[in-house]
Structure formats: C-alpha cells, structure tokens
C-alpha cells in the first residue's frame, strides 16, 4: 500500500492499517487468505497461472456467500454493488 495516500485523496476513502503481528485485527484478510489456500497452497508462485485462471478464482470468491453482521449471506460482489449504487451506507 505504498500509494495509500494517493488512494485516499483520489477516492476519499479512509485507510487503516493493522498493528504488526496482530492477526485478530485482520479478520477479513485472514479469512480470505484461508479461502485462497483452497486454490493455491501457501508459497504458490502465481506467475505460473494464467490470468483467466486467476480471474476464475476471484470470481468464485467474490460470488461466494459470506457471513456478516449487517450483510448476512451477502456475496462480496453484491455488497460492493449495493455500496456503489448507494443502496446502503458505506461502513
């Protein structure tokens, strides 16, 4: 995230960083890493996979239902579309 200041300015998003060695602060990140490990074991060189294969994994994960307090069983892609279309407040 070397370009996080630019991202914040360009999008108006708030950028937060977790403390080092504090996985409990990175719940979504840790969960996503676990889901990715179903497709790519730890240490996998992603350059050995085609763009199409990587996009297929991204599509599978982005359309997979996720548990969440406010978005129970909402797929990440659907949640992003709802925020983008202003059907719900960003949090």
């Amino acid at each position: 995230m070397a370009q996080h200041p630019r991202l914040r300015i360009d999008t108006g998003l708030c950028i937060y960083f977790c403390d080092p060695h504090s996985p409990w602060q990175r719940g979504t990140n840790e969960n996503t890493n676990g889901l990715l490990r179903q497709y790519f074991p730890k240490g996998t060189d992603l350059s050995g996979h085609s763009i199409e294969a990587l996009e297929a994994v991204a599509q599978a994960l982005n359309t997979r239902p996720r548990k969440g307090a406010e978005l129970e069983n909402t797929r990440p892609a659907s949640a992003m579309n709802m925020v983008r279309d202003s059907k719900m407040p960003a949090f």
Side-chain angles (χ1 to χ4, degrees):
M1 289 295 312
Q3 297 295 324
H4 74 274
R6 182 76 180 170
L7 177 65
R8 182 181 52 79
I9 291 166
D10 290 349
T11 63
L13 293 172
C14 295
I15 307 294
Y16 300 95
F17 292 96
C18 297
D19 295 318
H21 311 293
S22 303
W24 59 90
Q25 295 177 354
R26 302 184 302 269
T28 299
N29 175 264
E30 295 296 320
N31 182 55
T32 302
N33 286 346
L35 295 173
L36 284 167
R37 297 289 172 253
Q38 295 175 4
Y39 298 91
F40 310 110
K42 190 170 186 171
T44 298
D45 181 3
L46 297 179
S47 67
H49 298 274
S50 69
I51 295 295
E52 293 79 17
L54 296 174
E55 287 176 350
V57 171
Q59 178 70 14
L61 293 179
N62 286 333
T63 56
R64 176 185 176 134
R66 305 273 181 97
K67 286 186 176 181
E70 202 164 313
L71 299 172
E72 189 70 29
N73 293 320
T74 299
R75 292 160 173 77
S78 299
M80 288 301 295
N81 289 338
M82 290 182 343
V83 171
R84 184 194 64 217
D85 297 339
S86 299
K87 294 181 181 168
M88 65 171 289
F91 44 108

